[in-house]
Every structure is written in structure tokens, then in C-alpha cells.
Amino acid sequence: MRRRPVIVVLAAFLLAVQTLTSATPLATAAQTSLTLASAGSDGKPAPTESGQAALAADGTQTAFVSAAPLKVSGSVPQTAATDSDQPFRVYARNRLAGTTTLLSDAGTGSAAAPTISATGRLVAYEADNEITDENQIDVVDRLATGRGKFDTAGNLVRTQVTGNAGDPRYQRIEPCSINNEALGLGRCGPHLSEDGSTLAYQAQLSPVSPGLAVGVSEGEGTDPAEANLVDFVSAEETGFGGAEFGILSETVSYFNLGTTPIRWTAPPVATAPFHVSGTSCDGDPTTVTLGPDRSCDVTVTVDATASCPRAGVIDVLSGELTTTATTPDGQTGVGLAAMCSANGDITDEAPAIPLVTTPSSVAAGCAPVPTGLPLVAAPQAAEDNEGTPVVDTGAVEVGRPDLQWTTITGIGLLDFDTPDCAVQLVDPVTAKPAGPLPADQPPPCRQNQELGNEIGENDVVPTSCTAYLLVDPQQVATTESLLSLDNVECFFECDQFQNLYVAVTGVRNVVVAKRGPGFTSAVGTVISVDSAGRPIPDATQPSLSTNGRYVAFTAGTEVFRHDTDTAGNGTHRSGATSVVSCQPGAGACRPLAGADFPSISGDGTRIAFLGSVNQVYVRETVPARTLLVSSDRGGGTKPSDGQALDPVISQDGSTIAFSSVASDVLNPPLRFQALNLYLADIGPGTAGVMAVTPDGGPVTGSTAIVQPSLDAHGRIVAFETTRQLLPGAPSDVDSVYTFERFGHLVISPGSVSYGRLIAGLPGQTRTVTVTNTGLGPVTFTGVRVGSPFLLSLESCVGEVLHHGQKCSAIVLFRPVRAGHPTGVLTWTTADDGEPPQQTGVDLGATVVVPTVPLLTVSPTIAYGGEVVRATGVAFPANSVVTLSWNVGLGRATASVGANGQFAVDVVIFPDDVLGARSLLAAGPTGTVLASASFLAAANPEEPPFHRAGS
């Protein structure tokens, strides 16, 4: 993963807003609010370092890390700290109530990397024990009983969710400190889905347990805990010929370094040709435990002569000693190695075994040597427990091979022996490494190469070659290979290298998910997999969708999205995984180099990430396209002129927060190129970039604004900075702030008048439009209208309006009786737990009662075959009215009610006369009492077949 430099932030705090297309004025104080979040319940700011803000989706709670012992309103039960140093703690700050709660236990170590559910009820974090390296992930339920209020004594429950029986075998939680951010390493630690159902975290599957030390009784040289290798043959014994090796044994000791007992579920097991011949680590699996600071022993035996595969040549016997326990801390695998020689003395001729360049290499079945791998120097050799040199290549990711080189000096025929493909001796010409070969080094080593030069009749001096090793572990285990110089005459006379072990420990970096509730008893599942369910190497940085179905993660230099739904249906393929770090543009993905730091939206359709040249991008899965977010002058296609950091997307996918040192993210550009925090609105109908901490003067401090966190709709952003942004906040100390931007609703028209209406005629509607002209989003929770007005249709309730977005309501009024009716159309909005707000518009009408008969037709234009509605008012009560056309066919009758009103449908015949006409209403005597104008239109002959009146 790339390291990012510490960057500087501007001296002054100012708010500025820019749309993607044009400049906008500076924000006013009424449009935004800034609050210090890293404070105690007494309001006093944390005087020491605070950071790693995690904002709940509902905006009410901010979790953060601090070294300060803050005043709190509640706390999880505390135990004594394991370290004399003051540990970092995880707190939760109620933004509205101004209270702070302590969520971490000092006894589990320094806490870091909090993540929070949508309501703030669940908070997960990592606890790192610097003494025992027993790192763990805890979850705090702040409403454990499901009743009452957050953080009361019975509701505040902390649970350890890793280090349990449900963890994947060999799971190790790597350290994740608050200092990771300063190195630009991005987010580490766990991630909770907003609904609290799923917890994802990055872990390493490694045979080396930090809580269980492995040693060799009365051994010499390197402790096997360092090289993870137990050697059975002393360096001196190799000089006496193969027959002297015979039956060999070593006693391996296990020591519990942790603070909790290890329960053995079975005795340790050795793979052939090694076997366990005795152990004190056995007994009834249900009762035998290895307590803290306790040890037990295992005796392992091998017949080094009978098991040797090649006559007259020193070979390596390789195996593994594994333990089985209820928790990963008791699960280890240590490599076993023994030099061997069969059928008599060692000769001075090694069999001709080809250099590894093809699948038909020393270890059968190996894949062709990959090209373009990184080339690094192997660690310096140290002596193992039997005094034999060993090169420990360290932890290497399964599926991520590399090339390492070491210098070999001595006398004899070079023989490389390997049990599998974990380490291979390769030709650098074939391998074609990514970088140049090391300068001033001897030529490459080759199998069966003779080292040593004769300078006289009985005098041979050592020579050197460079061994290029393809390190490609095949499984999570330690594998040993042997480089030897076979020359029996030199064993007692040469002080140069004769035998060298190469040990490689294969590990997997994976993303693991556990499902709630509880998480403790849940089985951990590796979800950083391809579409076939195979682990993708080097997976880190998980980000979950709202319900945990989708996970985005980094693997190598790419960002992936995996669908954890294994059911599948007609609309999606179960378990699908795809690369989402794609180049800008629409259509099929073209991978973008150097991608990491993914953040996924709530529905899993948008993934923000950091791509090449440290720019922020967002990938939309529907439709398939990638947008450049941190572009020059906002909305352009050209990257900005400075690097970006830490992108995070809101739950609704509308907003991306990121940091950048560029000067041209806004339009016009800022005056200075320095680090600022930006909010980019990318939702439908919105297009804008806002700077939260922009251009204010020359650079005076050195810090980074890092790891922003957003609420569900991008209204609030929590972030960390060293700059003193508020009076009373500490200076030159990292603090956590929350920045809120408010919406502003504009209603059009400003008041609604229906004008002068006649009682008894059909009702009329008016459309009212609401536009958000503010900086922040607004969430509509309700709408109502006062009688006698009726809500006919509305599109606001349940919607979130971002800047520039609109919704509307249609209000119906039916004139019934004379008067001046009034009412109010009112919308209710509520955001981030704050008190509901109401915004309304006045409604009014004037209704009159006619004194002479009045006839209306609706619609006033129709085609043949359609029906129109005729309405009459002020006609003689309880009479019968005949309706007929002055031109055209058809007639109808209507019964007038006691109120003098009627309504009746009139048919327009298909073959009727076209053109203007009038509908006549005649009384019982045939006298025309009223008329209404009408137009009979011709039917359209071709599409679109618009209806009359449209």
C-alpha cells in the first residue's frame, strides 16, 4: 500500500462554495455550523491528540479516538491497563445532547479505528495490546437490553468479537493505531454496516501466533519464533555422512504469552516424514488448557536416513508441526526441517537438476516463472536453532510472489532442493524482474554450478554467485528449501557457506465478515473473494453497504466489489465480484492503476476510491461509468493540480468528502495550494463542490485533514485537523470537528390564490414547487393542508432535496359555498435528529354564487368518440334540463337538484360535425337558459395520438 506524505493545512478557517459550472457566493454563518466533537460531557476540549472520527448515518453520534481522559456521562466496565503508557480510548459524542461516553476498556489495550452503525447504537473498534500483540476487535452495544436509553448502566455492553471459535483458522488482527493516518495509510480496522447486521474487518491468516511462543529445548542460535523453523540436524553432523543422521528428535516448547487460557482440542500433529513421539500438550480436549505464562512440550522425531530421497546428496526433509485450539491464538504452524543423506557417504558430485525456468522444474507442477515481479534483497542470513544459516524471507502473501536475491560464497557443487513451489531458484533473464539487477553482484547462481577456484595443486579458494529466488508460497504455512554446496572434502577445512535454509511463511491478507446480532458466536467468513469464491490476494480496507450485502475492498492496486448474496435470482448473479477501480468514462471497465481507499454507498451501486496520481473517482455500477470527482475547477475531465486523500461517500451516494492539496478544485482556483477538505455533491440534479476549510492565507502549520466521515445524506461531515478552527479549541493538537451545512427551502409561488370561483363548478388545482437553495440537504417527513383545500398529489414526503433539487405538491379546491376560504400547505422536514422544521405557503380563494343559470363544459376540446362533462349552476331547482348542440348530433337530459346544480356526461359522436359549436341548456319549456362554447376536433391519423385538451 502506498505511503502518503504528511501535508500542510491553511492558517485561517473560511467557508467557500463553488458549483461545478459557475461561482457562488461565500457561505454565511446561517448556512453552516461548526462544532468541536472531541470534548467531554463537561464541554472541555480534549487537550491531547484526538482523531479517527466516525459519524453515525443519522448524524447524532460521533465516535472518535483520544488519548485524553475526558469527563464522561457513561462508560463500559473498566479493567486495569496492561501498559503503563496512557492508552488511546474510543469515545462517542452525542452531538445534540453534548454528552460523551467511554466505549473502550483500558485493560484490552490501546483502542483505535472506531466504526458506528446508523443510529449510533453499535460501535466497533480495534484494541491493540502492545505487550502481547493479542489484538482484537470489540463491539459495544449501547442499548443492549433493547429498552430505555443509550449508555445507561445496563445497556452499555462491550463484547470481544474476534479471538473466538468462529474465527477463520490462523486469524491474526494486525495493529491499527491512530498514527496510521499520519503516514497516509488510509483506513484500517473494522467496518460496520449501517443497519448493524454485519461487521467486516481486515485480518491476516498466518501460522505464526502472536500469543503462543514456540521454542526448542536446549537449542542454539536463532529462536524458531523468529524464523518459524525448527532444525533437527546440527551443522557439525552434516560432515559425518548420511549414516550418522539416523533417528533425530527435537523437543518443541509452547509458551502462552497472552492473558487468556488456550484450550487444546487435540494434541499437536506433525506432517510426514516427521511424527510426534511424545507430548505434554494433550489430555482430555475438553479440560486441558494452557494458562497465561504456562508452557507445554512436544517431542518430534524423524528418520533422516530412511526418508532421504536422493543417494549421496544432502537434501532437505520438510514438514510442519501444527496445533489445534478453540481460538486462533492457540493455532500455530511451525516449519520442520532436517538435512538428510541416504545410502552412505556424501559424494562430491550432485545430480544435474535444471535451473527452474519451466513447469518441469525441481518441484514438479510449478507454474511458469512470472515476469515483471519486484526484486528485493533477501534478509541477511542468521543461524537457526542448530547453527545452520537460514534466510527468513518473512511473511509473503499467498498469490503475490516476488523475487529475492542473496549472495552465495563457498566451495562445491551448488544444489538447490525444494519440496514445493514456495521457493524456486530462477534465472533472472527468464524472470525479467521489474527493476534492474543489483549492481556489483556476482553472476546468477545455477543448479549444479561449481563454486571455488583452484590456485594451486592443493589449494582451492571460494567463489560467489547471486541466487535469485522466486518466493511464491502456496499455502498458509512455513516451507523450507535448502541451498547446499556438496563437497565432502571441504566440510572440515572451509569456513565458508556449505548449507543454507531458505524459509518462507505464506500468509493471506483477507477481509472477514461476521453477522450479528451478537457477533461473538458468529462464524467468520472470508468475503474478499472472486466470483468463484477464491480468496483474492492482499485484501484490505473493507467498506460495507447498508445491509452488508455488498463489500468494497482493496487488493493490490485494484478496488473490487463483491456481492455476498449467494442465493442469486433472475436479476443478479450470486457471489459476483468485479473490479470497480475503472478509468473515467462509460461502458466496460478499463482498470485504473494504483487504486485504493474504497468507500461504498448504501445500496452498493456507487464506490468512491482513490486512483492514479492520487485523484478521487466514483464508479457507478448502473449505468456502468466512472466519474472524476477531484477534477480541475470541479466537474472537468482533467485531474486537479494536487494529490487527494481519504475519499468517503455518503450512504445515499449523493456526496463525497475528500481532502486535497490542489488549488484548482474550485472555480475560480484558490490563491494557495494547500490541504483543504471538500464536499462534492454528485447526486441526480446536483452538481457542486464545496470547500470546508479553504484558502485563507500562507501555510503556517503542518498537519493533515484526514479521514472525513459523512452522515447519510452528506449534510454533516466529521473530520480531524490540527488547526484551531474554533475559539477555545486546543491549538497544535489534532481535534475532531463536525461541520453541518443547512438547507433553505424556497416555495413558488410565494402564496397561492385560486382567484374568483363560482360555487358549484368543478374544482381547480394549483401546483406548488419547493426548491432547496441552501448548501445542505433537506429531508421531507410530512405534508398537510388545511380544509377546505385537499392534497391531490405530492412528490416531497420521503425525499431528500440537495442543493438545486425540487419537489412539488398539487392542491385541489372545490368551490361549494360563497366566501373567502383560506388554508396553509405545510411541509415538515427533519434532519440528523434535530427538531422538525415546518415550511408553509398560504392558500386562498374567493367563491361567489351566480344569480342566473351558468353552464360549463370540461374539457372544452374533444375528439369524436370522447365524452365531456357538462355542469350547471343556478338552474331552476328540481327541474329537467335538455342539453343539445347548436351544430352536431346528440342530446342529453339532466335532473337539476334542490341546490340548482347538475352534472352530466355528453358524448361526441365519431362522425359528428367538426369545428366550433355551442352546447345549449334548455328548460322544460324549451327556452335556452345558458350555453357553453366547445370545439370538436379531428381525430389524429398517426401517432402520437394526443388526447384532447393535452
Side-chain angles (χ1 to χ4, degrees), residues 903-916:
V904 66
D905 290 331
V906 179
V907 177
I908 310 300
F909 287 90
D911 55 352
D912 208 344
V913 178
L914 302 179

Side-chain angles (χ1 to χ4, degrees), residues 200 327 474 481 497 606 624 711 758-759:
T327 60
Q474 307 298 295
S481 299
F497 154 84
R606 287 184 168 184
D711 69 348
I758 297 174

Side-chain angles (χ1 to χ4, degrees), residues 232-233 237 244-250 300-304 338-339:
F232 281 68
V233 182
E237 284 185 277
E244 296 296 328
F245 292 173
I247 306 296
L248 306 172
S249 65
E250 290 284 356
V300 183
T301 303
V302 63
D303 188 338
M339 296 180 193

